[in-house]
Amino acid sequence: MKTIHDFPRVPLCAGPTPLQFLPNLSRKYGKGIYIKRDDMTGVGLGGNKVRKLEFLLADAKAKGADVVFTTGGAQSNHAMLTAACCGKLGMKTVLFLKERGVTEEKGNLLLDRLLGAEVRFVDTDDYETVYAEMDRLAEELRARGRVPYAIPLGGSTALGALGYVAAMEEAYRQGTELGVRFDHTVCVCGSGGTAAGVALGTYLCSPATKVTAVAVDDAPFGEIVEDLMAGALALLERSGEAAPLPEIRYHVGAGYGIPGPEVTAAVEELARLEGIFLDPVYTGKAFAETLSLLREGDFEGENLLFLHSGGAGGLFAVDLPAK
Ligand SMILES: *Cc1c(COP(=O)(O)O)cnc(C)c1O
C-alpha cells in the first residue's frame, strides 16, 4: 500500500490553508459550522485546482513536458490556475476553452491574459471536439520537438483526485487540533475529482464523517465519482476496498454557470455574517444547498465542515441575479 506522500508532488499550495469556525452562522443555525479555506491556496486567486495540480504537474515535469494543455468553460477557474501554476514552473500553457458563457475579457479570461496563457476558443458544446483539437495540436508540437502534456477537464483524473485526499488529511488533522470531530463534510462537484478525493480522504482519515457533494452540472456524477475513486484507490494500491461513495445532491438550477436568486442570497449571507466571499458558479450553489440542509433540519449531527473551493474570478464575470 502507498500513501499520498509516496507520490511526486510539486509544492504549489501555500502550506495548510486555514480551517475556520464560523461563529455567527453557527449561532444562527444552532450547529458547529466550519469552513476549509481552499480559496486561499496561495496561487492566482486561490482555489481547489492548485491541490490537484501539485500531483498533475509533478507528472508533467517527470515526463519532460514544456507545454501544458487544458480545457474548461470560458470562465474556467481550473484553466486560469493551470496557467498560473505552469508559469511558476516555467511551462507554457495553451487553454482550449469552450466558447460558451461569459467570453468577454473579464473575470478569469482577464487573468488568463495577464498570465500570458494562449487561449484558443472552441465553438462547441461537447468536450470530445475539444479533446480532438488538443490531439491535433499535440501532434503538431511533437513533430517540432516540443513535449505537450494534456490535463482533462477540471484536472479530474485519479492522480488529480489525490490532491483532495491530501487536503482532507490536512483538514481532519486541523479538526483534531481544534478538538472537533466533523459529522458531515460538504463539497462541490463540478467534474468529480474533488468529490472523489474528499470521499476517499474522509474514508482514510475520518471514516465516521458523512460526505455530501453538491453537483452544479448535469452529469452522471454517481458513476464518474465512483470511477475516479476506484482509480485513486488503485494508485494507492488499495484496489477493491469499499470506500463509501459520497451522497450527490444536484443543485444545477437553470444550468451550469447560471446562478439563481438563492445563490445570491447564500453568497450574501456568508459575506455579511462572516466576511467570506463565495463564487456564483460553484461554491455559491453548494452553500445554498448547505443552507437548505440546515434550515430543513436535514443535517444530522453537531459539526459541519464546508469546503470552500475558490472561484473568486467568477464573481467579476458572472452576474448574480436579484433576490
Ligand atoms: C472546479 C471547481 C470546483 C469543482 O471541482 P471538481 O473537482 O471539478 O468537481 C468547485 N469549486 C470551484 C471554485 C472550482 O473551480
Side-chain angles (χ1 to χ4, degrees), residues 48-49 52 77 154 156 188-194 279 282-283 309-311:
N48 60 341
K49 302 310 179 316
K52 301 175 179 188
N77 300 308
S156 283
V188 190
C189 183
S191 61
T194 300
D279 81 286
Y282 294 97
T283 55
S309 39

Side-chain angles (χ1 to χ4, degrees), residues 81-161:
L81 286 171
T82 301
C85 292
C86 286
K88 277 181 71 142
L89 300 174
M91 291 184 280
K92 189 180 145 48
T93 322
V94 184
L95 305 176
F96 295 77
L97 305 182
K98 267 197 200 169
E99 203 165 10
R100 297 289 182 270
V102 179
T103 56
E104 296 145 70
E105 197 178 271
K106 53 185 184 177
N108 284 312
L109 275 174
L110 168 64
L111 303 180
D112 293 340
R113 192 196 77 193
L114 297 177
L115 288 163
E118 181 182 329
V119 172
R120 296 189 171 210
F121 277 118
V122 188
D123 183 6
T124 179
D125 285 313
D126 67 82
Y127 281 104
E128 292 318 307
T129 311
V130 173
Y131 292 128
E133 286 281 308
M134 267 192 201
D135 288 345
R136 229 183 334 264
L137 184 64
E139 277 309 305
E140 224 177 281
L141 291 181
R142 271 190 219 104
R144 286 194 264 138
R146 303 289 301 270
V147 184
Y149 182 89
I151 296 177
L153 181 66
S156 283
T157 63
L159 186 64

Side-chain angles (χ1 to χ4, degrees), residues 209-274:
T209 306
K210 173 177 171 171
V211 176
T212 296
V214 180
V216 298
D217 201 353
D218 286 310
F221 283 116
E223 282 164 49
I224 292 168
V225 172
E226 185 171 5
D227 286 350
L228 287 166
M229 285 176 71
L233 276 167
L235 290 175
L236 295 168
E237 297 171 359
R238 305 177 75 122
S239 288
E241 279 186 41
L245 303 178
E247 173 199 30
I248 313 253
R249 290 173 78 104
Y250 283 85
H251 192 116
V252 183
Y256 169 76
I258 307 172
E262 81 293 356
V263 177
T264 308
V267 170
E268 287 184 0
E269 184 161 342
L270 193 66
R272 292 174 189 190
L273 287 179
E274 306 287 354

